[in-house]
């Protein structure tokens, strides 16, 4: 697959640094140390473990699944990248600390200068968003990809909330539709404990996107308007446990992929379904989460459908260990590949941006232009 923003007639696509030519020796796992939010302890005022992404990487290194140079370093999404989905008005509103404090649910942020909020809070979230977009292309190229962050499923094109400031899921899908030939249908499998009302609002009238959402019916956001976009809606009760949950996940994942065969699956793998999570209200065990991820990956891989996983919500300190254990299990089950010979390309860190002239590419491998804007 070739990305080319210089072709005549592709005027709807801007130049971006997020679609990379990544050497085959790199694992399609995307991360940057910038993901982690540390700011004078203010991050502790939200129940979200704002350093969990780095902890996942630490555990994967301990288990020798990855090394420093074997994964792809995420790049920050630029304003031009974000404008593929977001309105200019919404992005301008993020320049007000009060707005960011409301979205992230960290009230003291409203007292801080916005340049600090941009640097310490929004830049990490923009980098995770860039990581999701990058992982979308990697998933198509490799058959699978994991962004260790992302999954901001409460944010839509013109509204953030629930710690979600950028609509990374919508962005990843729109980038693929506009830039990658042969990607015209997507399925979102959202298994975070909360309803994914952000991407649901964005794709409400877009028949190219099939949404399956499994969530606790009694908790935030309870967005009835957005629910109209869900093609497979599975509403759970308080305290749902492993057996019932896993049965429903398998039944509906298989059903969704049998109903419509997509060109890409975006899997929102929130771990806030874990028993004891202060916001999720469900009672799934660590082993249940690992099995859940295996079910979804197995359904995708058996059909040969590329899958992009993002980690989304999870509000306990132990969720990082569970995410790492799940990725390790996917490897053991043969559902994701590994770097068998241990060879690492220097270019893994940051990837290599593709800058090609029209004479370097074949017409069959390049999108002739963006799909119609339905957002």
């Amino acid at each position: 697959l070739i990305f080319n923003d210089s072709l005549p007639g592709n005027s709807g696509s801007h130049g971006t640094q997020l679609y990379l030519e990544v050497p085959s020796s790199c694992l399609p796992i995307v991360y940057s140390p910038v993901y982690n939010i540390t700011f004078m302890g203010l991050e502790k005022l939200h129940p979200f473990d704002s350093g969990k992404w780095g902890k996942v990487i630490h555990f994967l290194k301990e288990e020798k699944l990855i090394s420093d140079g074997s994964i792809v370093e995420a790049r920050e999404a630029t304003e031009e990248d974000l404008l593929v989905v977001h309105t200019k008005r919404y992005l301008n509103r993020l320049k007000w600390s009060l707005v960011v404090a409301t979205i992230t649910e960290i009230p003291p942020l409203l007292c801080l200068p916005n340049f600090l909020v941009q640097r310490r809070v929004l830049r990490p979230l923009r980098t995770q968003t860039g990581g999701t977009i990058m992982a979308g292309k990697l998933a198509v190229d490799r058959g699978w990809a994991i962004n260790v962050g992302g999954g901001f499923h409460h944010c839509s094109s013109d509204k953030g909330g629930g710690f979600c400031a950028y609509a990374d899921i919508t962005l990843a899908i729109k980038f693929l539709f506009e830039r990658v030939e042969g990607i015209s249908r997507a399925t979102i499998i959202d298994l975070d404990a909360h309803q994914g009302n952000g991407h649901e609002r964005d794709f409400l009238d877009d028949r190219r996107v099939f949404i399956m959402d499994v969530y606790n019916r009694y908790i935030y956001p309870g967005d009835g308007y957005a629910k109209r976009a869900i093609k497979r809606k599975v509403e759970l009760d308080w305290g749902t446990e492993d057996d019932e949950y896993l049965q429903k996940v398998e039944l509906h994942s298989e059903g969704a992929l049998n109903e419509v065969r997509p060109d890409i699956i975006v899997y929102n793998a929130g771990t806030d379904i874990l028993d004891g999570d202060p916001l999720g209200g469900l009672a799934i065990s660590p082993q249940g989460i690992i099995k859940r991820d295996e079910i979804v990956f197995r359904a995708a891989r058996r059909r040969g459908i590329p899958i992009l996983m993002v980690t989304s919500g999870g509000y306990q300190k132990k969720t990082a260990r569970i995410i790492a254990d799940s990725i390790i299990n996917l490897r053991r089950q043969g559902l994701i590949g590994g770097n068998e010979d241990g060879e690492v390309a220097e270019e893994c860190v940051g990837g290599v941006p593709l800058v090609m002239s029209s004479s370097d590419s074949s017409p069959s491998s390049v999108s002739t232009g963006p799909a119609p804007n339905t957002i």
Side-chain angles (χ1 to χ4, degrees), residues 33-46:
V34 178
Y35 281 15
N36 303 289
I37 299 172
T38 54
F39 189 28
M40 301 187 319
L42 288 179
E43 70 279 358
K44 296 176 183 175
L45 297 174
H46 191 283

Side-chain angles (χ1 to χ4, degrees), residues 280-299:
L282 303 177
I284 310 304
S285 70
Q287 296 75 22
I289 291 174
I290 291 168
K291 183 64 179 176
R292 172 200 71 172
D293 295 349
E294 182 183 326
I295 287 169
V296 176
F297 266 78
R298 198 173 294 283

Side-chain angles (χ1 to χ4, degrees), residues 1-7 10 13 16 18-22 137-138 140-141 175-183 352-369:
L1 291 168
I2 297 172
F3 162 62
N4 188 340
D5 59 69
S6 63
L7 283 179
N10 203 24
S13 294
T16 183
L18 298 179
Y19 270 19
L20 310 173
E21 184 67 72
V22 176
K137 171 85 162 46
L138 278 168
V140 174
D141 289 347
F175 263 69
L176 288 170
F177 283 172
E178 293 183 359
R179 294 172 181 269
V180 180
E181 189 72 22
I183 306 298
V352 182
L354 273 173
V355 181
M356 306 181 69
S357 67
S358 56
S359 61
D360 292 327
S361 56
S362 62
S364 62
S365 58
V366 181
S367 173
T368 56

